[in-house]
């Protein structure tokens, strides 16, 4: 995030200056008092001045001081080698963001020029040495989640993310982004399952520990080309046309949105690439925090595309 501080002290040259005075001023600009400094903390300063040849040496010359802060983003993606995590890593690399991935499998086996730009760290969040990954990070993105028994889902979707949130907070990481899930307008007794209970527990931890910078993204069905055991499953062949259909007919289906579990059919799918771009938007925008719905995820992705 760049910020600028300008302290001008400008004197206006008289209108009667001869036409030949401009090259003199330009030459003075670059030869007499220009200075450029760049430090390791990505701050640089520029000071320049110009003086008319016909003006006395002690007269006031125009001086412009500029100091800029350029923040280098460095993110840690938990579950970075998975379906959603790898899309986030790829999008981040394309935007010049330094990426560290943490997952049980470590580096993925499939090729790709962006893969070499990511630091792949094998590990489990419950036993991870956070000293190896968190120092210097500007954000942590968690894609941790899964299905299984009630106990397993509570542990994976809830406890694992809670551990990650607290670790990030302890290390002073300024932002935490959680990939959660849309509630599909399900009745409360279905939302009490280990999957949703774990996700909502993780959401609560993010919003509690990061009230002004925590981000919770709630996509529905996520489509894209998903790799499973070396095979590529083209979920986009189903998800993309379905998304277009539902968006084209949303004005007609809105009255049905209040029906229990209606979003199991009516909630638009989300492209994994759009979800990744929404994450990038949340990382680079300090005003981006809170819970984001399917529509808001799409809007955030469009902003980054532009």
């Amino acid at each position: 995030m760049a910020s600028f501080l300008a302290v001008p002290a400008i004197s206006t040259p008289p209108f009667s200056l001869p036409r030949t005075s401009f090259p003199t001023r330009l030459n003075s600009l670059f030869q007499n008092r220009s200075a450029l400094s760049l430090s390791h903390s990505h701050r640089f300063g520029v000071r320049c001045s110009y003086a008319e040849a016909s003006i006395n040496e002690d007269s006031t010359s125009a001086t412009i001081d500029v100091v800029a802060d350029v923040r280098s983003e460095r993110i840690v993606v938990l579950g970075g080698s998975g379906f959603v995590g790898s899309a986030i890593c790829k999008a981040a690399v394309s935007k010049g963001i330094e990426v560290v991935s943490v997952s049980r499998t470590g580096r993925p086996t499939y090729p790709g020029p962006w893969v070499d730009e990511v630091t792949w760290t094998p590990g489990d969040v419950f036993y991870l040495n956070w000293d190896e990954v968190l120092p210097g990070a500007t954000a942590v993105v968690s894609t941790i989640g899964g299905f299984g028994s009630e106990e397993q889902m509570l542990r994976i979707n809830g406890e694992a993310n809670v551990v990650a949130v607290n670790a990030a907070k302890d290390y002073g990481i300024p932002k935490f982004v959680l990939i959660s899930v849309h509630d599909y307008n399900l009745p409360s007794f279905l939302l009490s399952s280990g999957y949703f209970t774990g996700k909502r527990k993780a959401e609560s931890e993010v919003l509690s520990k990061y009230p002004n910078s925590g981000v919770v993204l709630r996509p529905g069905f996520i489509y894209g080309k998903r790799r499973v055991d070396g095979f590529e499953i083209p979920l986009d062949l189903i998800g993309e046309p379905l998304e277009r259909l539902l968006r084209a007919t949303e004005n007609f289906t809105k009255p049905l949105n209040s029906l229990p579990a209606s979003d199991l059919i009516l909630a638009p799918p989300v492209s994994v690439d759009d979800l990744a771009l929404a994450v990038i938007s949340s990382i680079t925008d300090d005003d981006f925090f809170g819970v984001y719905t399917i529509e808001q995820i799409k809007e955030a992705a469009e902003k980054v595309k532009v």
Side-chain angles (χ1 to χ4, degrees):
M1 187 64 64
S3 62
F4 298 88
L5 175 63
V7 184
I10 301 176
S11 62
T12 304
F15 290 101
S16 60
L17 293 178
R19 182 183 299 273
T20 56
S21 63
F22 177 73
T24 304
R25 294 200 304 271
L26 188 61
N27 184 58
S28 177
L29 170 65
F30 289 102
Q31 293 184 4
N32 294 343
R33 296 178 60 183
S34 295
L36 176 64
S37 62
L38 178 64
S39 71
H40 68 278
S41 61
H42 307 286
R43 292 176 59 86
F44 63 89
V46 179
R47 177 184 293 269
C48 60
S49 65
Y50 64 84
E52 183 58 46
S54 60
I55 299 177
N56 294 333
E57 182 64 23
D58 59 352
S59 63
T60 303
S61 62
T63 301
I64 301 174
D65 291 336
V66 178
V67 177
D69 290 316
V70 181
R71 185 178 69 191
S72 296
E73 301 288 356
R74 180 181 186 271
I75 67 171
V76 176
V77 182
L78 305 178
S81 60
F83 174 48
V84 175
S86 60
I88 294 171
C89 291
K90 183 178 180 180
V93 166
S94 72
K95 298 297 182 180
I97 298 173
E98 184 181 351
V99 182
V100 175
S101 166
V102 177
S103 64
R104 291 184 177 182
T105 57
R107 183 187 178 96
T109 56
Y110 51 83
W114 65 271
V115 175
D116 295 330
E117 301 298 319
V118 177
T119 301
W120 302 96
T121 304
D124 186 316
V125 293
F126 287 108
Y127 312 104
L128 188 64
N129 183 357
W130 296 104
D131 283 332
E132 297 179 356
V133 295
L134 288 185
T138 55
V140 173
V141 182
S142 177
T143 69
I144 298 173
F147 295 95
S149 67
E150 288 292 300
E151 182 180 355
Q152 288 173 327
M153 289 189 292
L154 283 171
R155 181 172 172 81
I156 297 171
N157 298 303
E159 294 174 19
N161 283 306
V162 169
V163 168
V165 172
N166 283 282
K169 188 65 176 179
D170 290 342
Y171 278 79
I173 310 304
K175 177 160 283 195
F176 196 101
V177 182
L178 174 70
I179 306 300
S180 189
V181 64
H182 182 58
D183 62 13
Y184 293 101
N185 202 21
L186 293 173
S188 57
F189 73 90
L190 290 177
L191 291 175
S192 64
S193 68
Y195 182 82
F196 286 101
T197 300
K199 287 288 189 180
R200 296 300 178 253
K201 182 178 181 181
E203 289 183 7
S204 178
E205 195 72 12
V206 171
L207 299 176
S208 172
K209 295 296 172 64
Y210 290 88
N212 298 315
S213 61
V215 179
V216 173
L217 301 179
R218 289 182 175 177
F221 170 65
I222 304 171
Y223 68 86
K225 290 180 171 57
R226 184 166 193 163
R227 293 180 175 87
V228 179
D229 296 330
F231 296 95
E232 190 175 78
I233 302 175
L235 296 177
D236 51 330
L237 296 181
I238 299 173
E240 188 171 356
L242 181 58
E243 180 185 11
R244 290 179 180 177
L245 174 63
L246 290 173
R247 293 194 181 280
T249 60
E250 61 184 352
N251 290 334
F252 302 99
T253 59
K254 277 183 179 178
L256 303 176
N257 290 342
S258 60
L259 296 177
S262 60
D263 277 358
L264 287 172
I265 299 174
L266 301 179
V270 177
S271 162
V272 70
D273 294 326
D274 282 347
L275 180 56
L277 290 177
V279 170
I280 300 304
S281 181
S282 72
I283 292 169
T284 56
D285 185 353
D286 290 338
D287 294 326
F288 196 123
F289 61 91
V291 178
Y292 284 75
T293 64
I294 294 173
E295 288 299 325
Q296 291 169 322
I297 290 172
K298 186 73 175 179
E299 291 171 3
E302 289 299 326
K303 290 180 180 179
V304 177
K305 288 179 183 179
V306 173

